[in-house]
Amino acid sequence: MFSRANLQKKEMNKRIDIINKNLTQYKEGVTNHKIYKNLKSIKDIAVLMEYHVYAVWDFMSLLKALQSLLTCTKSPWKPVGDSKIRRLINSIVLEEESDIDADKNPSSHYEMYLDAMKQCGANTGPIENFVSIVSHNNIPSVNDAVDSFLNTTFSIINSNEPHKIASAFTFGREDLIPDMFTAIVNEYNTENNLDKFVYYLERHIELDGGDHGPLALELISNLCGEDEKKWKEVEETAALSLIARKKLW
């Protein structure tokens, strides 16, 4: 006989399954995008990285927005919100912001990505300049494609609604990068100028499949509970995020 907790978990899993099913067409728009077949050289991959890095950066911004809303990030400290949710968020932050890079040094995933870009000859100047001047009230213009993508993300962040932010964070994750992309990167890693990118991709696959993916889904379940409106908004926000990623590609 199921306990109430088990029944609630079963119901939450059912809701997540329905959302994933309804998002299939949007996910396939990203995972089956023609861009992967057009990666024919190291230079092509470097150009893609120069755009993709903004998705890496905005992913970190989504995470920190969640931490700001759901935990205490200032002094004096006070116990904010649900302790289980605090642990979920802080567990993800630990590895996204302070993971171990390919050289066994502490590093955020954004910084890992910059190192990978530099190694393969991609231009990091625009993103580094962007990050040096960006603020809550000033999202600098990059180009039409990146601007549109970031506008979608920050409209979600500025809603200050944790379940929406968690949706964009969870369903627009880097696990959308298909195996084909990883295979292409490995194929062109003939002179070891992509080995840091390979490490970044493999690390994301490891974390998303092992810990962060399930933790993020649990976070959404805890934030929505039995609120039908929130569950509907989670799906709508996820679709919006996936459409924005496809346009960026």
Side-chain angles (χ1 to χ4, degrees):
M1 184 175 181
F2 284 108
S3 66
R4 177 173 175 78
N6 285 333
L7 287 171
Q8 287 177 333
K9 185 175 181 179
K10 186 176 181 181
E11 179 61 26
M12 296 304 106
N13 289 339
K14 182 179 178 181
R15 289 178 183 271
I16 293 293
D17 288 342
I18 291 172
I19 289 175
N20 274 319
K21 182 178 179 180
N22 292 341
L23 292 176
T24 298
Q25 62 175 315
Y26 302 108
K27 289 184 176 182
E28 289 180 348
V30 178
T31 59
N32 295 330
H33 199 283
K34 63 183 180 181
I35 193 172
Y36 306 113
K37 295 180 181 179
N38 290 328
L39 297 174
K40 305 295 185 182
S41 66
I42 295 287
K43 185 176 180 181
D44 290 342
I45 293 172
V47 171
L48 175 61
M49 293 178 78
E50 290 169 10
Y51 282 81
H52 181 218
V53 68
Y54 291 93
V56 176
W57 174 80
D58 94 322
F59 179 78
M60 300 296 295
S61 297
L62 286 163
L63 177 57
K64 297 305 285 187
L66 284 171
Q67 188 181 36
S68 177
L69 288 169
L70 300 173
T71 75
C72 184
T73 58
K74 58 186 179 181
S75 182
W77 179 86
K78 297 181 180 180
V80 173
D82 184 278
S83 59
K84 187 175 183 181
I85 288 178
R86 291 199 304 265
R87 182 172 178 80
L88 287 173
I89 288 293
N90 288 331
S91 294
I92 297 173
V93 169
L94 173 63
E95 289 175 324
E96 293 290 346
E97 197 171 37
S98 310
D99 203 0
I100 302 299
D101 67 15
D103 298 320
K104 308 302 180 184
N105 297 312
S107 175
S108 69
H109 285 196
Y110 165 76
E111 291 164 310
M112 283 187 202
Y113 201 90
L114 281 188
D115 285 345
M117 289 178 69
K118 292 173 182 176
Q119 186 184 47
C120 78
N123 182 8
T124 62
I127 181 64
E128 290 182 290
N129 181 63
F130 174 91
V131 171
S132 72
I133 61 177
V134 71
S135 69
H136 180 73
N137 297 317
N138 174 39
I139 308 296
S141 176
V142 181
N143 56 50
D144 289 345
V146 172
D147 291 354
S148 176
F149 179 77
L150 294 181
N151 284 339
T152 297
T153 299
F154 279 86
S155 68
I156 296 168
I157 288 175
N158 291 334
S159 73
N160 287 322
E161 296 188 79
H163 64 290
K164 292 182 180 179
I165 300 171
S167 176
F169 176 83
T170 301
F171 294 104
R173 297 177 66 82
E174 299 307 299
D175 63 355
L176 289 170
I177 297 174
D179 292 339
M180 179 169 58
F181 188 18
T182 304
I184 290 169
V185 172
N186 273 310
E187 179 183 346
Y188 284 102
N189 189 29
T190 54
E191 299 174 1
N192 291 324
N193 53 351
L194 286 174
D195 60 334
K196 289 188 176 181
F197 193 22
V198 170
Y199 178 86
Y200 169 87
L201 292 171
E202 291 178 344
R203 187 64 180 146
H204 256 288
I205 291 170
E206 178 185 357
L207 289 174
D208 289 347
D211 294 316
H212 293 187
L215 284 175
L217 291 174
E218 186 176 350
L219 173 63
I220 287 178
S221 296
N222 286 335
L223 289 172
C224 291
E226 298 179 6
D227 190 321
E228 296 293 339
K229 182 174 182 290
K230 286 185 177 180
W231 281 106
K232 182 179 179 181
E233 290 173 342
V234 161
E235 184 174 327
E236 291 171 348
T237 302
L240 187 67
S241 299
L242 291 167
I243 290 169
R245 173 60 73 93
K246 181 182 177 181
K247 288 181 178 178
L248 178 64
W249 265 189

